[in-house]
Amino acid sequence: MPKLTQNRVERRRRQLLDAAAACFSSKGIHGATVPDISQRAQVSVGTLYRHFGSKERLIIAIAERICRQDALIVERLLAVARPFDQRGALDSIVLERLEDFVSAKEARLRIELWAEAPLHPALRAVLRQGLENIIDKVEEALRAENGQNGTTATDARKVIGLVQGAILYRALGVS
Amino acid sequence: MPKLTQNRVERRRRQLLDAAAACFSSKGIHGATVPDISQRAQVSVGTLYRHFGSKERLIIAIAERICRQDALIVERLLAVARPFDQRGALDSIVLERLEDFVSAKEARLRIELWAEAPLHPALRAVLRQGLENIIDKVEEALRAENGQNGTTATDARKVIGLVQGAILYRALGVS
Amino acid sequence: MPKLTQNRVERRRRQLLDAAAACFSSKGIHGATVPDISQRAQVSVGTLYRHFGSKERLIIAIAERICRQDALIVERLLAVARPFDQRGALDSIVLERLEDFVSAKEARLRIELWAEAPLHPALRAVLRQGLENIIDKVEEALRAENGQNGTTATDARKVIGLVQGAILYRALGVS
Amino acid sequence: MPKLTQNRVERRRRQLLDAAAACFSSKGIHGATVPDISQRAQVSVGTLYRHFGSKERLIIAIAERICRQDALIVERLLAVARPFDQRGALDSIVLERLEDFVSAKEARLRIELWAEAPLHPALRAVLRQGLENIIDKVEEALRAENGQNGTTATDARKVIGLVQGAILYRALGVS
DNA sequence: CATGAATGAGTGTTCATTCAT
DNA sequence: GATGAATGAACACTCATTCAT
């Protein structure tokens, strides 16, 4: 079956990425073996390697996808929270509604990636970029709502810090 | 040679914990091998096993120590921040001063533990306990400062979420 | 499209043999993968398998070609060396002129085949046959030149041993 | 059983080297797996790695040992051949008596190393050095016997080339 | 008590070969 | 006939743990 169509390639990659995300979040990045992942994706290890080349590149591909998803999640959170009628309103929304947007498994996966990042420069670059991206998004939203007065870059970082804290709570199972 | 004095045992444990913390934060929990740690502690692997029994128990001991340290850090942060003269003052202090209390290496180690926790119930219990402990501390402080009016458990979780976000920023190297 | 002409088949085989010889001598028989070879021959792996059936049969085909080439090389060496005006003249010619006939890459390839031979009876048979063939050629030439007096089978083997030694020197880069 | 004595280390290394030499010559360097070797040496793979660090380093250690053995073999051959009463006498001795000094298995192992050398600079360096060493030995012997007249470096290389040819004959099973 | 050599199950990765298209 | 994606057994190597000394 030579000459895989663009379409089939996309499907295979998604299959593999889904399987990897599931395995990484249930067993951890180190606990999930390559055979675990390929089996879950109903594919041979050789096929996994044809598409991603190494476990590390698979991890990076997961991180890129996560970053894209996070951008969407933040947009939806901001939409839900608007108008930010008073200081702190956005903060509360984050704490109260985040779990509608990020499941415990997804929370777990993000923490895995954060832990892995310091050891892998390429991964760190991806995650940092993703983080800066959503910080920008929040900052922009804050400025649009509040006008120029009083909104600083720090406010946006506060909000995202809150999101991260909430993710951690989910992963640790803090009520 | 008489039985090891209580004192010597303590010193050995501290040596090993220091070495483990250093190795875990520089190479990651999975990247740091038991020989790495024992070598750094100037001790044989056998001795490490005599004192901690397994790598996992060593990790848990590290987590317990981290939790104790975090309680102190939070107390110091609160002391610095008081009086919380206006809403959000504590938040700003956290973002601006945290790095005086938690080095990048220490930040890194915490993330490692968070990532490991979901796989190891005993570790998770320790970290959850530690987290609830500092949340309580913050809540108490907020209540003491602000009186009963308007202070909720959520406010404390917000502050801690902020701390965690800041830790992550440090580990990812976001400016 | 009609059946492949005899001609086209020959060209394909030659293409593949050239590619295989190049890959084997630069990466070693074990280091050269089937995709390496087919890519170098500008052909798909499937096509390689259609023509040779297995990597082992490809190796044997290479060996057969090498044996044919070696017969020619020996003939040319003998032609250059004649008349063998004195004992040892042929030896000297071999040592001094061999590199005009066998490049370093070709030397390398022969050694690869020698190393592989003991594991593969079919390959060993081919190489042994080729070796006996050139020994005969040399013996014949010696007899023709020197008359019956003093020429033994051992003399021929000496000469070929010299050739092999020279091949090895080339491969090891001994000046 | 800490602090292996020098003696035990030597024994272990010899055990492993013997096993590796046996496996390499019977299955080829590529066909012999690390478990094959460690099993033959009655040792775990971990122990093999403790002593040699990698399969490649084990191969190099084998090569070093072979070079030492070859120096001895050449000395013995020269002793047997002396006095070199006439031109070519040494050559004949090499062809006729080599098999008393180098078994077929040992011949096979040398060819494996020669084939491997071009891919591994460190190995090549060892073998080249060993080769130059025995060339020097032969040259010296020739000079001592024949006086200064007529003996050239080329003569020594001729003799060694002969040895190598004879080794190849043994490995290919040429009568 | 301390040591560190030994263990071997388990890891990420490769590659000759097949066969659906 | 040609293709190259898919396969999975096999490989070199690691490392938490044990235990003879």
Side-chain angles (χ1 to χ4, degrees), chain C residues 157, chain D residues 73 76-77 80 90-107 110 162-171 173-175:
Chain C
R157 290 186 50 184
Chain D
I73 288 172
R76 272 185 255 149
L77 263 177
V80 166
L90 183 53
D91 300 2
S92 301
I93 289 288
V94 164
L95 284 179
E96 286 157 22
R97 303 289 308 275
L98 187 75
E99 66 188 45
D100 300 345
F101 299 96
V102 181
S103 71
K105 287 219 146 195
E106 288 168 333
R110 279 155 182 82
L162 237 35
V163 172
Q164 288 155 347
I167 285 173
L168 182 61
Y169 290 136
R170 298 220 64 172
V174 174
S175 58

Side-chain angles (χ1 to χ4, degrees), chain A residues 23-164:
Chain A
C23 290
F24 288 161
S25 79
S26 65
K27 302 176 148 196
I29 286 181
H30 293 278
T33 68
V34 171
D36 281 344
I37 297 164
S38 58
Q39 200 163 14
R40 179 155 203 154
Q42 313 249 50
V43 147
S44 70
V45 290
T47 296
L48 185 155
Y49 275 88
R50 166 165 285 277
H51 285 272
F52 289 98
S54 73
K55 191 182 180 185
E56 187 176 350
R57 287 226 275 275
L58 180 57
I59 294 169
I60 289 172
I62 294 256
E64 287 166 342
R65 196 209 227 184
I66 291 279
C67 287
R68 284 194 296 275
Q69 290 174 359
D70 283 355
L72 289 177
I73 289 172
V74 163
E75 275 171 18
R76 273 185 255 150
L77 264 177
L78 289 173
V80 166
R82 258 189 263 243
F84 314 151
D85 38 13
Q86 60 179 64
R87 228 164 193 287
L90 184 53
D91 300 3
S92 301
I93 288 288
V94 164
L95 284 178
E96 286 158 22
R97 303 290 307 276
L98 187 74
E99 64 188 48
D100 300 345
F101 298 97
V102 181
S103 70
K105 287 220 145 194
E106 288 168 333
R108 171 96 176 71
L109 179 54
R110 278 157 183 80
I111 295 179
E112 282 291 324
L113 291 171
W114 295 342
E116 209 55 23
L119 296 168
H120 299 283
L123 175 60
R124 187 169 65 221
V126 168
L127 291 178
R128 180 148 70 178
Q129 173 80 25
L131 190 49
E132 286 169 354
N133 181 23
I134 59 177
I135 290 176
D136 287 352
K137 271 197 159 58
V138 172
E139 198 176 342
E140 203 179 322
L142 287 174
R143 238 194 316 263
E145 280 283 325
N146 299 348
Q148 245 39 13
N149 53 324
T151 306
T152 66
T154 308
D155 289 322
R157 289 186 50 182
K158 242 190 247 184
V159 173
I160 298 305
L162 237 35
V163 172
Q164 288 154 347

Side-chain angles (χ1 to χ4, degrees), chain A residues 1-5 8 12 47:
Chain A
M1 84 224 8
K3 282 280 174 269
L4 225 50
T5 64
R8 258 177 81 76
R12 270 268 193 272
T47 296

Side-chain angles (χ1 to χ4, degrees), chain D residues 67-143:
Chain D
C67 287
R68 283 193 298 275
Q69 290 175 0
D70 282 356
L72 289 177
I73 288 172
V74 163
E75 274 171 19
R76 272 185 255 149
L77 263 177
L78 289 172
V80 166
R82 259 190 262 245
F84 313 151
D85 39 13
Q86 61 179 65
R87 228 166 193 285
L90 183 53
D91 300 2
S92 301
I93 289 288
V94 164
L95 284 179
E96 286 157 22
R97 303 289 308 275
L98 187 75
E99 66 188 45
D100 300 345
F101 299 96
V102 181
S103 71
K105 287 219 146 195
E106 288 168 333
R108 172 97 176 68
L109 179 54
R110 279 155 182 82
I111 295 179
E112 282 291 323
L113 292 171
W114 295 343
E116 210 54 25
L119 296 168
H120 298 284
L123 175 59
R124 187 168 64 219
V126 169
L127 291 179
R128 181 147 70 179
Q129 172 80 29
L131 189 48
E132 286 168 353
N133 182 22
I134 58 177
I135 290 175
D136 287 352
K137 271 197 159 57
V138 173
E139 200 177 341
E140 203 179 322
L142 286 175
R143 242 197 310 265

